[in-house]
Amino acid sequence: MEAVVQFLNENSELYGLYINVTSVTAYGFVDDEIVHKLCEKYSAMVENFENPHIFVDATLAGSTSEAMKAFSAAMGLPTITTCFGHDYDLREWRKLNDYQKKYLIQVLPPNDVIHSLIRRIVLRQNITNAAILFDESVVLLHKFKSILVNTGISFSFTSVSSKTLVKNLKRLHSLFFVNFFVMGTIRTIRLVLKVASKLGYLEQKYSWFLLTRDTGEIGIVCRSCSLYIVQSVINDKCKSNLEKIFGSEIEPELSLSFHFDLYASAFISIGQILANIDDDIGEFKTCEEFYKNSTAIIREDINLLEELKKDKPIEPTCGKIKFIANGFSHVEFGMSVTLMTISNNSLVHRKELGIWIAGLNNSIIPTDGTEPMSLNAYSIFRVVALENKPMIFKDENHTSGYNGYCIDLLNELAKRMEFKYIITSADGGGKPDKEGNWDGLIGDLVNNNADIGIGLYVTAYGEDVIDFTIPIFDLVGMNILMKVVPLPNDLFKFIHVFDNEVWFCLILAYFVTSLLMWIFTSCKPWYYPSLDEKITKKPEENRKIRIFTLSECLWFCLTSLTSLGGEQAPYKYSGRVVAATWYIFAFIMTCTYTANLAAFSTLSRETSSINSLIDLSKQYKMQFAPLNGSIEMDYFRNRAYIDTLLYKEWEKISLNDSLTDIERSSYSVFDYPLSDEYFKIWEVMQNTGFPNTLEEAIARVKNSTSSSEGFAFVGPSITLDYAVLTNCDLMVVGEEFSLKPLAFAVPSGSPLRKYLDEHIKDMTDEGFCEVLKKKWWSNNPERMICPEEVDTADGMSIHTMGGIFFLLFAGIFIAGIILAMDYWLLKMNIIAPAQNTNKRTEILKVKGYIK
């Protein structure tokens, strides 16, 4: 103020003004004292006919500022105030009429404009949480607190104090804040960064945005870090103008420039108004007069706002003040957004990303004219994984060193939420010791050594100490992995339907029956004359008469075994009886063979009599156990403990002598003692020994002698299904049990859970999870096509019925050889072709059928 008064008075001839200022100091006094002092000086001026022409309110906020506004509004004094807040933050100026709005003017100081950039950055970069630290240069008003309201993010405001800074930063870190905004002087910023560097909070995992009206250099404040610096842009001409007015002490330049220009413009503007009216600006009352008649003075002829909008004969020192009616009056200034990267205590990179022109809704203008690059450093989360192929497994060819279903899901989350991660593996799921300290994956989350855990099943005891996201996979249970003992391929399996003795008796019966039929049909029975007469009367049927030679009898019995029947039966009754008996025999043998062939093929496909955990517990040849230290091992140990505990409680109650007979009968059960099924299972597992790795467990299963003797692995169904997918000599038996969801885990109370849930739900709705399932199961390149998968009808394969085709080909081959021999014998004149068409009649005569 002194500089403005001195400047205008020294140039009074140029500006036509001479300024006389009466000041009232508000610092160090309570509100009543301030108002009393103000009224004393003001009333003295009015009584001495030295009426004030303008009232300059330099208070920033609070009840004192409201008292000043109530005073200026009541006395009708043209007022310029640089307090913080928007229209509704100024309670005493909320209901100004149209005349009062023309001379009661609020102009926002630079610091009250800069904070709006925080909201722009948060919305532009989709930041999920923000911790805002500020010093005494920033006034914590309702408006300032609400700059991130309705953004959907978690935020916190913390005042910077050297005594409590360490404690406050640790508290913010424990609340998982990774985006920090520091607003204040360069001195404050350096203090915050120095403490944050010692605490290790300047790593790449965190984003630091430094907003200041100062123009000085922040300097090297950390060993290695990346900082986004938002500073006011002050050009050389501006600095030169300020040095002419204030000398060398021109910090903070932006605030000095703003107040100098505002006060100078206000004084010149009120001077112009006074020059254009004949009289003074109107009536004035002392405070005593106002108390007697509490009617506020209204200046209808004073339009200070309109006069301020006009160009002034004074050149702005740094930025022109923009006056807006009923709104956001402020100085127009620019702020640069710069990325500064420090490594090994040296500045290795500094780049100006863009410029922000002060305004309520102004965006950052990129320096290169394109879409601005990301202004928030990627958050780097510490991920701890519990290996479980194909969900998570080590893969040197993958960028993170791991691969699997969960890794693909995590990468998609990182892409959508814009974060990076460092992944390590855990020794196990985790369990507490006697003192309640957790180890494994849960221990890393409980002790804040990790931000996200993957590959862990949702359990009741886990939910007590950590939080889980919504499920990322279907309910997953336990199952049993066993060895598939392949049946030997037998091309002539159809022959094994009957024992060798049965086949021998069948062949013997065939030859004996054929021989007997030939003998019986060769004898002349008593009805021979009638047969002779029948043949003589119908000589045209001679060709249809079947001559039952020995070869014909063999052929007749052979064809009778098929569905074609035996063709023409013998004429003689004895032969017919033999044929009928053979028909019955052949029918029974054919039916028996068909039925046994179906049953034989069905039984041959049965591979194991073990189909559940109960079946395993009832036999002794097959050992079984889960992985050592796994959640499955904990499950069986806990079930055994519960069974034992329940039995002891039941025994204590049922053997209580104080019970009546009726009461004791209510505790009577058929299973005495109570079922100790899981206790026995746990004992068997302990005697078997727990495999330490999945590879060891699968190797023990493969070394089993059969599907009913050896080792069975009890593990998560996902792992077992994948093992079967990649090994044709393994199989999963029974149905899943102990179903539980699979989800990502975060430390208890972590705000990260909310955002993970939202994106996982979106990916599930979009079908992304189903695509991953197909990738890792249906379309997995490691998937093996096993013989069982080829035979989709689950019937007898070519490996079991191929012999019948060999039999067919052998018969055709033999027939070809016989045909060739016939032609060779004919060619060599060993046999002669038939010359007489009545040859058959001659044969019948020789056989005695025709005279």
Side-chain angles (χ1 to χ4, degrees), residues 639-789:
R639 284 297 302 264
Y641 172 75
I642 292 172
D643 283 354
T644 305
L645 187 64
L646 288 177
Y647 171 70
K648 289 181 179 179
E649 292 298 323
W650 172 80
E651 185 181 39
K652 185 188 300 183
I653 296 174
S654 62
L655 299 181
N656 189 351
D657 294 335
S658 63
L659 294 177
T660 64
D661 293 339
I662 297 177
E663 289 175 337
R664 184 173 288 105
S665 64
S666 63
Y667 296 104
S668 176
V669 293
F670 289 102
D671 296 332
Y672 183 85
L674 289 177
S675 177
D676 56 354
E677 180 179 281
Y678 278 90
F679 181 78
K680 292 179 179 178
I681 290 175
W682 178 244
E683 281 190 335
V684 173
M685 289 180 174
Q686 289 179 306
N687 294 331
T688 299
F690 302 98
N692 294 315
T693 62
L694 178 62
E695 291 73 16
E696 179 185 345
I698 293 178
R700 289 177 65 176
V701 173
K702 289 183 176 181
N703 291 333
S704 299
T705 56
S706 68
S707 58
S708 59
E709 186 175 354
F711 177 78
F713 174 50
V714 182
S717 58
I718 291 179
T719 304
L720 304 191
D721 290 342
Y722 189 77
V724 172
L725 195 73
T726 55
N727 292 275
C728 289
D729 52 351
L730 298 176
M731 65 177 178
V732 173
V733 299
E735 296 182 356
E736 293 183 55
F737 58 95
S738 183
L739 298 176
K740 48 195 170 295
L742 182 67
F744 286 167
V746 294
S748 180
S750 171
L752 187 60
R753 174 189 175 183
K754 170 185 174 183
Y755 306 104
L756 289 174
D757 283 346
E758 292 176 356
H759 288 283
I760 291 173
K761 183 179 183 301
D762 291 340
M763 287 189 288
T764 303
D765 295 340
E766 294 168 6
F768 182 78
C769 294
E770 292 299 324
V771 173
L772 289 185
K773 290 178 184 177
K774 291 181 179 179
K775 173 185 175 181
W776 288 103
W777 276 269
S778 301
N779 302 328
N780 196 308
E782 296 184 5
R783 179 186 179 96
M784 297 186 66
I785 305 301
C786 302
E788 291 77 8
E789 298 183 39

Side-chain angles (χ1 to χ4, degrees), residues 2 17 136 156 267 449 479 548 646 667 679 716 811 838 850:
E2 293 178 359
L17 296 173
E136 66 277 357
S156 174
F267 293 156
N449 295 327
N479 228 326
F548 278 85
L646 288 177
Y667 296 104
F679 181 78
N838 294 323
I850 302 175

Side-chain angles (χ1 to χ4, degrees), residues 516-557:
L516 292 175
M517 183 177 291
W518 173 64
I519 294 173
F520 291 162
T521 55
S522 298
C523 298
K524 292 182 179 182
W526 58 271
Y527 52 83
Y528 174 79
S530 61
L531 178 62
D532 182 44
E533 182 180 354
K534 180 180 179 181
I535 295 176
T536 304
K537 291 180 179 180
K538 298 180 179 180
E540 68 278 1
E541 295 183 0
N542 292 345
R543 295 180 178 271
K544 300 179 182 180
I545 297 175
R546 186 171 186 177
I547 304 172
F548 278 85
T549 61
L550 180 59
S551 61
E552 285 295 320
C553 290
L554 291 170
W555 178 252
F556 177 85
C557 291

Side-chain angles (χ1 to χ4, degrees), residues 372-634:
M373 67 177 65
S374 177
L375 295 181
N376 61 310
Y378 273 96
S379 297
I380 298 183
F381 294 124
R382 299 161 298 173
V383 178
V384 58
L386 189 62
E387 293 185 46
N388 182 11
K389 198 171 184 177
M391 306 306 287
I392 310 105
F393 59 93
K394 289 184 178 180
D395 185 358
E396 296 179 355
N397 298 325
H398 202 268
T399 54
S400 63
Y402 290 82
N403 205 348
Y405 175 92
C406 289
I407 299 299
D408 287 345
L409 194 64
L410 183 64
N411 289 336
E412 183 65 19
L413 286 171
K415 179 180 177 182
R416 298 189 181 203
M417 296 174 62
E418 295 186 349
F419 68 82
K420 295 181 180 179
Y421 61 88
I422 300 174
I423 187 170
T424 56
S425 60
D427 296 333
K431 55 183 179 294
D433 57 17
K434 295 181 180 180
E435 298 178 356
N437 299 317
W438 288 79
D439 59 6
L441 189 150
I442 297 179
D444 289 335
L445 294 174
V446 170
N447 299 323
N448 288 323
N449 295 327
D451 303 304
I452 302 175
I454 60 176
L456 188 67
Y457 297 104
V458 179
T459 56
Y461 62 84
E463 287 184 310
D464 292 337
V465 292
I466 60 175
D467 291 338
F468 291 93
T469 65
I470 61 176
I472 62 172
F473 201 80
D474 301 330
L475 291 177
V476 179
M478 285 183 275
N479 228 326
I480 303 169
L481 183 70
M482 300 180 64
K483 180 179 181 180
V484 174
V485 179
L487 296 174
N489 293 328
D490 189 358
L491 296 175
F492 296 93
K493 180 177 283 189
F494 62 92
I495 296 178
H496 300 316
V497 174
F498 289 158
D499 290 338
N500 294 335
E501 293 82 359
V502 177
W503 283 115
F504 174 76
C505 293
L506 179 60
I507 295 172
L508 180 61
Y510 164 71
F511 283 109
V512 170
T513 303
S514 299
L515 179 61
L516 292 175
M517 183 177 291
W518 173 64
I519 294 173
F520 291 162
T521 55
S522 298
C523 298
K524 292 182 179 182
W526 58 271
Y527 52 83
Y528 174 79
S530 61
L531 178 62
D532 182 44
E533 182 180 354
K534 180 180 179 181
I535 295 176
T536 304
K537 291 180 179 180
K538 298 180 179 180
E540 68 278 1
E541 295 183 0
N542 292 345
R543 295 180 178 271
K544 300 179 182 180
I545 297 175
R546 186 171 186 177
I547 304 172
F548 278 85
T549 61
L550 180 59
S551 61
E552 285 295 320
C553 290
L554 291 170
W555 178 252
F556 177 85
C557 291
L558 181 61
T559 55
S560 298
L561 290 171
T562 66
S563 59
L564 295 177
E567 299 179 358
Q568 185 179 353
Y571 274 100
K572 296 182 179 181
Y573 294 140
S574 58
R576 291 186 178 185
V577 172
V578 175
T581 305
W582 177 251
Y583 282 159
I584 297 173
F585 174 81
F587 174 75
I588 294 174
M589 291 301 297
T590 302
C591 292
T592 304
Y593 178 83
T594 305
N596 280 274
L597 180 62
F600 188 79
S601 61
T602 303
L603 292 174
S604 65
R605 292 194 296 269
E606 294 181 358
T607 56
S608 176
S609 59
I610 298 175
N611 295 306
S612 66
L613 187 66
I614 305 301
D615 294 339
L616 274 176
S617 64
K618 291 180 179 179
Q619 52 81 49
Y620 61 91
K621 292 184 178 180
M622 180 68 72
Q623 296 179 324
F624 55 96
L627 282 180
N628 188 21
S630 64
I631 190 173
E632 292 78 24
M633 176 180 173
D634 295 337

